[in-house]
Structure formats: C-alpha cells, structure tokens
Amino acid sequence: MRIGIVCYPTFGGSGVLATELGKALAQKDHQVHFITYREPVRLNVYVPNIFYHEVHVPTYPLFEYPPYETALASAMVDVIKNNHLDLLHVHYAIPHASAAYMAKKILEKENIKIPVITTLHGTDITLVGRDKTYAPVVTFSINESDAITAVSEDLKEETYRSFKIEKEIEVIYNFIDVSRFNKKPIDAFKKAIAPNGEKILLHVSNFRKLKRVSDVVRIFNEVHKVIPSILLFVGDGPDRPTAEELCRELGLCDEIKFVGRQEQMEEILAIGDLFLLPSEYESFGLAALEAMAAGVPVISTNVGGLKEINVPGETGYMADVGDIETLSRYSIDILKDEETLKKFKKKAAAHAKIFDINNIVPLYEKLYGRFLQQ
Ligand code: GMT
C-alpha cells in the first residue's frame, strides 16, 4: 500500500505516534510518505520505504499569517498525485483534516479518488477544536473524512459530546514498541543522576498548562520529605519557568533536574522508579504508556484515557486533578519498600504489552484495507 501520513513533526504524542506508525508500516513493506513542515523528530534514522516531503510556506509582506493550510493542501495534492498514493492518514484534526478535504476535492476534479482517515488525538477535540473559532471547520472536516479513529474510548465519547458527528468513530488505541523499552539501566547514568541511590521520579511533557507541572513539583516535595529521591523533568514548554520558580521557592533546586527535550527516552525511562502525570486531561497519555513499558509505575490523575491504561493498585494509582495529598500518598506507597516497588514495576511492564505495536498496527492495516477493496 502507498500511504500518506500528515502530522505535527514535534515532540508531541500525536506526532510521535504517527511517526512510529509510519516506521512500522514501512517495515511491513508499505510505502509511506510523510507530509510535514519539518522532519518528524522520531524519523531520525534512515528507513527504506519512507519518503519525507517538506511543506514550504512561502512568506510575503502581506501575510501576517502565512497560509500554512493552503500550502499543506497543495503539498498533499502533489504528493498523492505524483506518488500514486492509495490513502491519506492525517493525525490531529486541526488543520490536517480540513486540508485533506481540500486536497481530496481538488483531486476529484482529476478523477483521482483518495480516501482520507482522520485520527483524533486530544486537544484537537477537547481544547482547540471546541473553541468556537475552529468548531465549524473541525465538525465539517471530521464528518467528511472517510474514516475517523480516536485514541481512546474517552476521546471518542468526548468527540460525540462536543461535535455533531454523523459517522462512526472507531477506537484504535495508541501503541508502543515494547521491545524498545525493555532496556537495562545504564549504571553510570543512574549514578550521575542519583549518586546516593535515591529513587528517581520522572515527568515527561511539553510543559503546557494542562500538564500541571507545578503539581509535579508539589507531589515530589511531599515524597522527598519521606523518601530520598530525585525528580527529573524531561521536555520543555511554556510552564517550565513556573516549575523552576517553584523549585527555587521550595528549596529543591538540587533535587529537581530539568534536562530539556531528549530523544533517547528509552535510556532515561530505564533508570526511573516512578512516573508522575497529574494532567488536567489526557486523551490517552502516551508518555505514561512508554514509562509503563519501561517498567516504571505511573501516578496519574483519573482523567480521560488515563483510566483506560493505568490500573490502580497494579500499574500505579490515580486520583482527582489537583489532589496533591492523595497523589503524594500513593507515590510514597509505591516507593516505600523494594518489594512493593518491584511488584508495581513488573505489573506496569506486563500491562503495557497489551498496547504493543504488534497488536495495534494490524488494526490500522485492516482499516486501510477496507478502502482498497472499494
Ligand atoms: O493534544 C495534545 O496535547 C497534543 C497531542 C500531542 O501531539 O502530543 O497529545 C494528545 O495526543 C497524544 C497521542 O495520542 C496523547 O497521548 C495525549 O494524551 C494527548 N494530549 C491530550 O489529550 C492533552
């Protein structure tokens, strides 16, 4: 099959998922064409069967807002036509689904039929999409997609609640390549981070408001009072200064390390003991699943798709948004003795296998196959 994939090329989960999907499909002998404004971060190795088409948005003094969506739709038309693509799979509705609709309509004029699959990832529905500014276009372009998938049951239901969707939304859960996360910790790295054998807590995100990074610091503050520990913040984004400020206020600068954006997540997760994700909302929580696959239990809020991946008392615990006291207590419960921690680590790694690449990618292939038979 020849598949076009459109996504955000950044560190966000939707781009990561789309890139890993493309890589997996290429390994299964499909030809995959990425159409993005920059090379996707996880496309950092040469993979035969993968082609990357950069969307250029020429600027002009008149354009206060360069028309990215127009450039993207034009790139889609060009790539679909000249590479004889069988279908286009867009990740994150805004503006990818509407650009795909435009490309589809242009190609129809040339008697080229291109099925469009839209995968909804999260804030394209819950924050950005529901904003009245975007809602009519999001509703229309989702309805015009030939198939719609959502990354969790919760996101599916949320989409039906927020928009007038006339089609069936299929749930295809996010996935990870479990074998990649099955890494032994690098001793020297672990020692550099926690020289005295402290427990290592992790948070990985894009530091946006809904990630509630201040809660991460507050939970750690409580844990640290009881358990010798270090907190590693991975990633970057708008709320990083707030988190750094809070660390200074609490006198935790030596115990909390900000390591910025990192590509080698497997090595980092391998040294972790506990993953903190106190988000206001997560449609899925791919970062938490990656942690679980690496055998790191998860303390999260009980929102969105997190309820579908984190099993309380087995892979971690959950509590209400902002309930620092309970989230801290649960963290201490897991870290308090080696035996308990070991049990959680084992169960987290075992549970993550449900979402292994080998179980999920065939579901996408099956979905694509439906359109080839038409
Ligand atoms: O909506 C976002 O925050 C952006 C998006 C991304 O690109 O990172 O994240 C969403 O998609 C991920 C992959 O499907 C999910 O794991 C995240 O939970 C989801 N984020 C939210 O729902 C806030």
Side-chain angles (χ1 to χ4, degrees):
M1 241 183 275
R2 291 165 183 239
I3 303 149
I5 293 187
V6 180
C7 64
Y8 282 101
T10 50
F11 276 88
S14 61
V16 166
L17 194 280
T19 311
E20 296 298 346
L21 174 62
K23 281 156 67 176
L25 291 166
Q27 266 179 6
K28 295 178 113 182
D29 283 339
H30 299 292
Q31 200 180 88
V32 179
H33 292 258
F34 280 94
I35 309 169
T36 54
Y37 62 77
R38 204 186 305 135
E39 186 167 68
V41 282
R42 289 267 178 116
L43 203 61
N44 48 5
V45 285
Y46 172 73
V47 185
N49 279 344
I50 289 195
F51 300 84
Y52 162 58
H53 309 266
E54 193 158 303
V55 181
H56 296 282
V57 191
T59 50
Y60 181 68
L62 187 66
F63 298 156
E64 194 175 333
Y65 305 104
Y68 173 64
E69 195 174 332
T70 307
L72 175 62
S74 301
M76 287 171 173
V77 170
D78 180 65
V79 175
I80 292 165
K81 201 156 74 176
N82 293 311
N83 297 281
H84 311 287
L85 299 194
D86 297 307
L87 63 86
L88 187 64
H89 187 174
V90 302
H91 292 258
Y92 205 90
I94 304 170
H96 303 149
S98 45
Y101 172 74
M102 172 72 95
K104 187 184 169 95
K105 285 288 155 192
I106 293 169
L107 289 164
E108 263 174 29
K109 297 264 178 220
E110 299 182 34
N111 288 325
I112 298 174
K113 260 186 85 181
I114 183 85
V116 172
I117 294 171
T118 298
T119 291
L120 308 172
H121 277 273
T123 49
D124 44 354
I125 297 303
T126 55
L127 284 181
V128 192
R130 219 185 285 147
D131 188 315
K132 283 199 171 58
T133 319
Y134 300 111
V137 174
V138 174
T139 311
F140 176 80
S141 51
I142 291 178
N143 275 320
E144 287 296 323
S145 302
D146 295 281
I148 313 158
T149 74
V151 299
S152 65
E153 287 292 338
D154 184 88
L155 184 61
K156 169 181 159 177
E157 293 312 321
E158 196 53 49
T159 309
Y160 282 130
R161 272 195 293 273
S162 307
F163 300 96
K164 219 169 166 287
I165 301 299
E166 293 139 7
K167 285 205 167 114
E168 192 198 336
I169 301 176
E170 296 166 57
V171 174
I172 300 185
Y173 281 117
N174 282 337
F175 63 85
I176 34 140
D177 180 351
V178 167
S179 67
R180 263 187 42 214
F181 292 92
N182 198 3
K183 283 231 168 17
K184 278 217 154 61
I186 301 171
D187 288 341
F189 178 38
K190 193 164 177 161
K191 211 160 172 42
I193 301 292
N196 304 309
E198 296 94 333
K199 291 284 172 271
I200 300 176
L201 284 76
L202 300 168
H203 172 80
V204 182
S205 80
N206 44 24
F207 287 63
R208 279 176 304 150
K209 192 167 168 278
L210 62 72
K211 301 289 175 181
R212 296 181 68 99
V213 285
S214 296
D215 286 5
V216 176
V217 178
R218 290 185 202 286
I219 295 165
F220 176 73
N221 185 35
E222 296 307 314
V223 174
H224 181 255
K225 287 176 188 165
V226 188
I227 290 170
S229 47
I230 297 286
L231 169 63
L232 215 57
F233 266 115
V234 184
D236 212 326
D239 272 2
R240 177 169 166 177
T242 318
E244 285 176 329
E245 178 62 30
L246 186 57
C247 297
R248 285 191 286 272
E249 259 175 48
L250 295 169
L252 288 169
C253 293
D254 290 340
E255 293 81 8
I256 301 184
K257 299 176 201 288
F258 290 83
V259 297
R261 295 191 177 106
Q262 297 290 330
E263 286 186 22
Q264 296 310 312
M265 279 317 299
E266 298 89 332
E267 277 79 20
I268 296 176
L269 291 170
I271 63 163
D273 294 300
L274 194 65
F275 191 85
L276 304 178
L277 195 63
S279 306
E280 200 171 296
Y281 181 78
E282 289 291 342
S283 66
F284 184 85
L286 191 58
L289 181 62
E290 290 192 341
M292 280 161 57
V296 183
V298 172
I299 292 292
S300 74
T301 38
N302 51 14
V303 291
L306 287 171
K307 299 190 295 278
E308 293 163 58
I309 61 172
N310 197 3
V311 187
E314 295 202 4
T315 65
Y317 284 111
M318 295 186 285
D320 293 344
V321 176
D323 186 351
I324 309 290
E325 198 207 310
T326 310
L327 291 164
S328 311
R329 183 163 41 80
Y330 280 148
S331 301
I332 296 165
D333 269 2
I334 293 180
L335 295 172
K336 67 181 183 234
D337 65 76
E338 286 305 326
E339 214 32 59
T340 311
L341 178 59
K342 220 165 121 188
K343 195 187 80 193
F344 272 92
K345 283 188 168 199
K346 214 170 148 192
K347 289 215 166 145
H351 188 69
K353 287 187 183 146
I354 296 174
F355 303 92
D356 185 50
I357 193 165
N358 293 316
N359 298 334
I360 308 288
V361 172
L363 303 179
Y364 278 116
E365 285 181 290
K366 203 168 155 203
L367 174 65
Y368 297 163
R370 289 208 316 247
F371 294 98
L372 290 192
Q373 284 149 21
Q374 284 174 5

